[in-house]
Amino acid sequence: MPTLERKPILLDFEKPLADLEARIFQIRELAEENDVDVSDEIRQLEARAVQLRQEIFSGLSPTQRLQVARHPRRPSTLDYIQAISDEWMELHGDRGGFDDPALVGGVARLAGRPVVMLGQQKGRDTKDNITRNFGMASPGGYRKAIRLMEHADRFGMPIVTFIDTPAAWPGLDAEAFGQGEAIAYNLREMFRFDVPIICTVIGEGGSGGALGIGVGDRLLMFEHSVYSVAPPEACAAILWRDASKANQAADALKITAPDLKQLGIIDEILPEPIGAAHADPVKTTEILKEALLRHLDVLDRMTSEQRRELRYQKFRALGIFSEHPV
């Protein structure tokens, strides 16, 4: 039975590129039907398509990067874990009666080495997103995360986390079950772990929901990911009582990888293939795996005391500023 090809999901700024690619396809089909050689014209148009794709994705605004970070086809936590792991076993439950599907994790082998991997998991479609709560973890999710990280620390396994959430779940039930306490507990405990911790923003890193698994020796970030204190829509609603000013908020929040690298918040920007991660997930996975192994090699050469001090100083330095007379 033939498989149906998935229709591409286009962002607004990708439409000129899609139109050009559709034109190339039509010309190629007509040439084949009429037995006409148009190879030179096709090569020129394809070269123009490559150039246009580079132009589009090299000049994205913060709002456009946010759209890319939220793209439904962007690789997810489970996509990366399954692609980079030699072996993978998902573990469930927070041992308190809950198993949050918005936060997944387990034990794996990375290049033959035992590690614990975990992260927020968004859905692929509306039904899956409802099941995964759009990647917004409950207190049970963060308690499951810390259970897995404590397991890693006890048995000397590095911790690898993948951040991809608009925020922690803000519902009344989450507050009733101690959302703030669960995240705060994770922050405190991650600072004391002896094992290496590498955190990577793979899509959208928002609010305390991202930080709840984001305390590490290294914080990596994909080129078209975003990382901020709050989603731009929420920020606009708070500051201006108008969510339509999200574009203005995105500019002010400095949510992009280059901005955060300049501010010293992240350690490395991971480049994405032309057209972003969803355009070439295989290449993106290779880039991620190489970076994780490279940083693990460096962290392995440190003592646990050196890693804890590095972690502490890294976060103490965030938000430091100086005033200059006008």
Side-chain angles (χ1 to χ4, degrees):
M1 183 176 178
T3 57
L4 297 176
E5 291 188 4
R6 292 190 303 176
K7 186 177 180 180
I9 299 173
L10 293 177
L11 303 175
D12 291 342
F13 55 84
E14 291 181 298
K15 288 179 179 177
L17 178 62
D19 292 342
L20 179 56
E21 290 176 340
R23 182 181 168 196
I24 293 171
F25 180 79
Q26 291 171 353
I27 292 173
R28 185 179 282 114
E29 275 198 331
L30 287 171
E32 290 176 356
E33 290 174 2
N34 297 282
D35 196 22
V36 178
D37 182 11
V38 291
S39 54
D40 289 340
E41 291 81 354
I42 292 292
R43 277 195 294 270
Q44 291 176 8
L45 289 173
E46 287 177 339
R48 173 56 187 151
V50 171
Q51 181 184 6
L52 182 59
R53 188 181 295 274
Q54 289 174 329
E55 290 172 358
I56 289 173
F57 282 90
S58 63
L60 296 181
S61 68
T63 300
Q64 289 171 333
R65 286 181 188 256
L66 181 61
Q67 289 179 270
V68 175
R70 291 173 173 172
H71 197 288
R73 302 269 168 83
R74 192 170 177 85
S76 68
T77 291
L78 284 176
D79 291 331
Y80 284 124
I81 290 176
Q82 292 165 355
I84 68 177
S85 301
D86 306 324
E87 298 177 59
W88 157 247
M89 178 182 292
E90 186 174 354
L91 301 177
H92 296 273
D94 67 345
R95 298 301 184 265
F98 296 94
D99 180 32
D100 186 354
L103 201 149
V104 298
V107 293
R109 286 189 183 274
L110 180 62
R113 175 177 186 164
V115 297
V116 164
M117 296 185 180
L118 58 105
Q120 288 100 359
Q121 178 66 31
K122 293 181 177 179
R124 284 298 184 203
D125 51 34
T126 302
K127 182 179 179 181
D128 195 19
N129 258 321
I130 291 172
T131 300
R132 300 285 185 182
N133 201 29
F134 297 85
M136 294 186 287
S138 66
Y142 290 102
R143 290 176 182 133
K144 174 166 67 172
I146 200 64
R147 179 177 77 82
L148 297 178
M149 289 188 279
E150 287 172 343
H151 176 87
D153 191 57
R154 186 177 303 115
F155 291 99
M157 294 185 287
I159 298 167
V160 178
T161 76
F162 302 103
I163 297 168
D164 188 17
T165 182
W169 175 235
L172 290 175
D173 55 340
E175 295 302 320
F177 285 106
Q179 184 72 285
E181 184 274 339
I183 292 174
Y185 184 83
N186 283 21
L187 300 183
R188 187 188 72 185
E189 294 303 294
M190 291 183 80
F191 276 108
R192 72 167 180 83
F193 289 147
D194 291 329
V195 297
I197 306 175
I198 301 179
C199 310
T200 306
V201 184
I202 61 172
E204 183 179 10
S207 193
L211 200 57
I213 58 169
V215 176
D217 309 305
R218 294 286 189 274
L219 178 57
L220 316 180
M221 185 171 174
F222 272 111
E223 178 183 0
H224 297 306
S225 294
V226 296
Y227 194 41
S228 67
V229 68
E233 297 87 351
C235 178
I238 293 168
L239 293 182
W240 299 291
R241 299 185 182 277
D242 184 359
S244 67
K245 293 187 177 181
N247 291 357
Q248 185 177 342
D251 291 337
L253 283 169
K254 304 298 182 187
I255 64 176
T256 69
D259 285 330
L260 295 168
K261 183 69 169 67
Q262 184 176 5
L263 291 169
I265 293 173
I266 65 171
D267 297 295
E268 183 180 346
I269 299 173
L270 304 183
E272 297 185 27
I274 298 173
H278 61 274
D280 192 347
V282 174
K283 179 62 177 177
T284 307
T285 299
E286 292 172 355
I287 292 168
L288 174 63
K289 185 174 183 178
E290 184 278 329
L292 292 176
L293 293 174
R294 173 164 40 83
H295 283 286
L296 275 176
D297 285 343
V298 174
L299 294 171
D300 274 342
R301 293 193 287 270
M302 299 181 184
T303 65
S304 57
E305 291 80 8
Q306 287 173 327
R307 286 193 294 265
R308 286 197 302 270
E309 181 64 18
L310 173 69
R311 221 173 289 156
Y312 175 78
Q313 294 299 337
K314 176 180 176 61
F315 280 81
R316 286 289 294 175
L318 299 184
I320 290 178
F321 67 94
S322 59
E323 295 183 353
H324 298 277
V326 178

